[in-house]
Structure formats: structure tokens, C-alpha cells
Amino acid sequence: MKKGWQVFFHVAFWVCMIAFFSFITHSSTKLSNLALLVIFGLYGLINISLFYINYLFLIPKFLNKKRYLIYNINLLILILVYGFIKYGIALYFKDYVLIRGSKHEAIGFVSYYESAFFTSLIFVFLSTVLKFTMDWFLNERIQRDLENQRLSAELAFLKSQINPHFLFNSLNSIYSLAYQRSETTPEAILKLSEIMRYMLYECNDNKVDLGKELQYLQNYIDLQKIRYGNKAFVDFEVNGLISGQRIVPLLLISFIENAFKHGVANDPATPIHILMDVQPDHLSFKMENKKHQFNKDATGGIGLNNVKRRLDLLYPDKYQLKIDDGTEVYTSELSLDL
């Protein structure tokens, strides 16, 4: 909240409180307007000043810095001085302050000073509670902002890993085609450029249209088929109506990359099977492939670990991921609330 609005709300609060108690007191005691002005106006300003001296000066300068003894000494001196100031004003307006009741009995110094001291303690207590409450909310907001910044930085880092990871694998595929002097090399380069255009220009938002993401997956599969000389066998089945659903970009590609990298794609008897069921607010994704017994990645991969972390950050409590790394078959199932 801007400082100008904070000042406005503080002033409005105290004006309303003084007006309220003045009205209640006037209705019950029938005091004159001058008496009400002295009791609630003048003394109200004195107590409010005590409130803000503690709120704006003593707590930040001493209490927040854990200088407890100095804080208590300064606070006690301030309350004692304010007691004498209040009594001095009471003597000046004794007919309104020191004379009470129907018998017009005068209030002595000790009785009045005890009352003034207690009133000052109340305002000090209220200012302390308010200060600590406001500081707590401020610290909570700062912590949330820092956590959001940390998560945003982590997500940006995870996303930045995807492009080089994908590009590295794709360039390896195109290198194989070029090495074999395949006539499909230009087509593969064109397909890669379309994929990279999507990754560079369509994936800047937090979420993208599901239809565009599925087309991106299809382009990747087509690129792999070119690499295999159109001897890659993939069943890519999408059930349901795609209309306006949105998904975090580049979330599913790692599953398919993993299938081509570690699975058997050139056996028509055991194709890579990808099944996607689309509902208005839910997505089910299942992929199954036969494992290649001799295609082990000695350096490991970042793809699936990346996906799991992004799911934790972007879809907390909104997804279920099941990985079945069998002896011969690898299956991954993702259930996701869009």
C-alpha cells in the first residue's frame, strides 16, 4: 500500500474513533461541547502522539534491534513525562477534567496520574501490537515475493535446459542423415526449423494452446521418422475434443524423446504407442515403448527429472505421474488437471 493511502487510513481511523466516543459520551453524560473537545480532542491527540512515537521511533530504533533495556527505559520515561503533561493540562481545564460526578468532587494527583499512566499503557500496547502485526505481514509478503522470484528463476532455468537438450538430440539425428548422404536431410532441417520456431516464439507464455503443443509433438515425431528413413513406427492417438485447453509448453516432449532415445522404434511389431485422452479440464497421457537393451545413456539425462520438477512447481496437487521401468517395456502415464 502506498504511503499516502496509509496516512489517509490512519487519520480516518482516529477521526472516526474520536467522533464515536465523543458521541457516546455526550449521549450518556450530556457534557458540553467544550468538555468533549478537551477530553477527546486534546487528550486524544496527546495519546495518539504517544502511539506514533512508540510505533514509528522507539520500536524500529530499539525494540527491532533487540535493545530491550534501552527500549524499556525510554518507554517508561516517555510514559512518566506524558503523565505529567496530561496532569498539567488537566489543571488548566480542571473544571472539565478534574471535577467529576454529580457532587463535583475533585480528583487528586495520584488518582489522576494512575489513570493517565494506565491510558498511556493501553496506547503503547496497541501501537506495539499494530507494529508487530504489520511487520509480520510485510515479512510474509517479502518471503512470498522472494519465493516466487526463486521459483520463477528455477522455472526459467528448467525451461532453458529444454531447448539445448532437444537441439542436441535433433542435431545428432540430422548429422546421422547428413553422414549417410540421405536425400531427406533438407526436409529434416526444414522440420527442425519449424520446431525451433515454435519453441522460440510460441512458448514464451506460461501456457499455450493444447492444439499447438500437440502439433509440436507431431512435428517432432515426423522428424524422427525422417531420421529412421520412414521406418519408425509410432501410434499417436488423440481422443477427445481439443477446444481452448491450455497447457504448460514443452511438458510432454521429454517422454517422447526418451522413447526414441532408449526405446525400439523400428520394429513394426512393437511400435511406440502414445495415447492421449483430452477432456475439457483434464488430460491423460500414456506412452509405452519396448526398451532397447543396448541403448544405454551413460551420462544420464535431464529430460524426465526436468519434467517432474516442472510438474511440482506448475501443477502442485494437480497431477499424477506413474513410471513403470520394466525389464522389456517402459511405460509412463501422466494424469493432469489443466
Side-chain angles (χ1 to χ4, degrees), residues 239-254:
N239 298 322
L241 180 63
I242 300 175
S243 68
Q245 297 96 330
R246 294 177 67 80
I247 189 173
V248 171
L250 311 178
L251 191 64
L252 305 175
I253 185 62
S254 294

Side-chain angles (χ1 to χ4, degrees), residues 10 14 50-52 54-56 59-60 63-64 71 75 120-138:
H10 277 253
W14 290 118
L50 176 63
F51 179 100
Y52 284 106
N54 184 55
Y55 182 83
L56 298 175
I59 294 178
L63 194 58
N64 286 350
Y71 170 77
L75 184 62
S120 297
L121 284 179
I122 293 176
F123 277 84
V124 167
F125 173 77
L126 292 176
S127 63
T128 304
V129 170
L130 177 63
K131 182 62 177 177
F132 277 99
T133 302
M134 295 300 295
D135 287 348
W136 184 84
F137 279 109
L138 179 61

Side-chain angles (χ1 to χ4, degrees), residues 224-293:
Q224 295 303 316
K225 287 182 177 180
I226 294 173
R227 170 195 169 194
Y228 280 85
N230 290 320
K231 292 183 179 179
F233 299 94
V234 181
D235 291 335
F236 187 14
E237 181 181 352
V238 179
N239 298 322
L241 180 63
I242 300 175
S243 68
Q245 297 96 330
R246 294 177 67 80
I247 189 173
V248 171
L250 311 178
L251 191 64
L252 305 175
I253 185 62
S254 294
F255 296 104
I256 301 177
E257 278 188 302
N258 189 66
F260 279 102
K261 189 174 183 181
H262 302 289
V264 176
N266 57 358
D267 185 356
T270 57
I272 297 174
H273 185 65
I274 304 170
L275 175 63
M276 192 173 300
D277 183 66
V278 180
Q279 301 296 328
D281 56 358
H282 187 81
L283 174 69
S284 295
F285 174 87
K286 180 178 180 180
M287 197 197 68
E288 183 179 278
N289 63 274
K290 182 179 178 180
K291 294 174 64 175
H292 199 303
Q293 299 302 316

Side-chain angles (χ1 to χ4, degrees), residues 61-165:
K61 188 172 180 63
F62 301 115
L63 194 58
N64 286 350
K65 297 179 180 179
K66 299 182 179 181
R67 301 169 68 181
Y68 303 119
L69 180 60
I70 298 178
Y71 170 77
N72 288 324
I73 292 174
N74 279 275
L75 184 62
L76 179 60
I77 293 173
L78 182 66
I79 293 175
L80 292 175
V81 170
Y82 261 70
F84 285 107
I85 292 174
K86 290 179 181 180
Y87 186 72
I89 295 174
L91 288 176
Y92 188 81
F93 295 101
K94 61 181 180 180
D95 291 339
Y96 306 115
V97 180
L98 296 179
I99 305 299
R100 299 286 180 86
S102 57
K103 297 181 180 180
H104 300 286
E105 296 178 351
I107 300 175
F109 170 77
V110 175
S111 297
Y112 180 83
Y113 197 86
E114 288 178 350
S115 177
F117 188 88
F118 179 74
T119 302
S120 297
L121 284 179
I122 293 176
F123 277 84
V124 167
F125 173 77
L126 292 176
S127 63
T128 304
V129 170
L130 177 63
K131 182 62 177 177
F132 277 99
T133 302
M134 295 300 295
D135 287 348
W136 184 84
F137 279 109
L138 179 61
N139 289 333
E140 284 292 304
R141 188 180 69 181
I142 292 174
Q143 291 300 321
R144 285 196 301 269
D145 290 343
L146 290 175
E147 180 66 12
N148 289 336
Q149 291 175 15
R150 185 189 68 80
L151 294 179
S152 298
E154 183 177 355
L155 284 170
F157 173 71
L158 291 172
K159 190 174 179 181
S160 71
Q161 287 182 309
I162 296 172
N163 291 357
H165 185 240

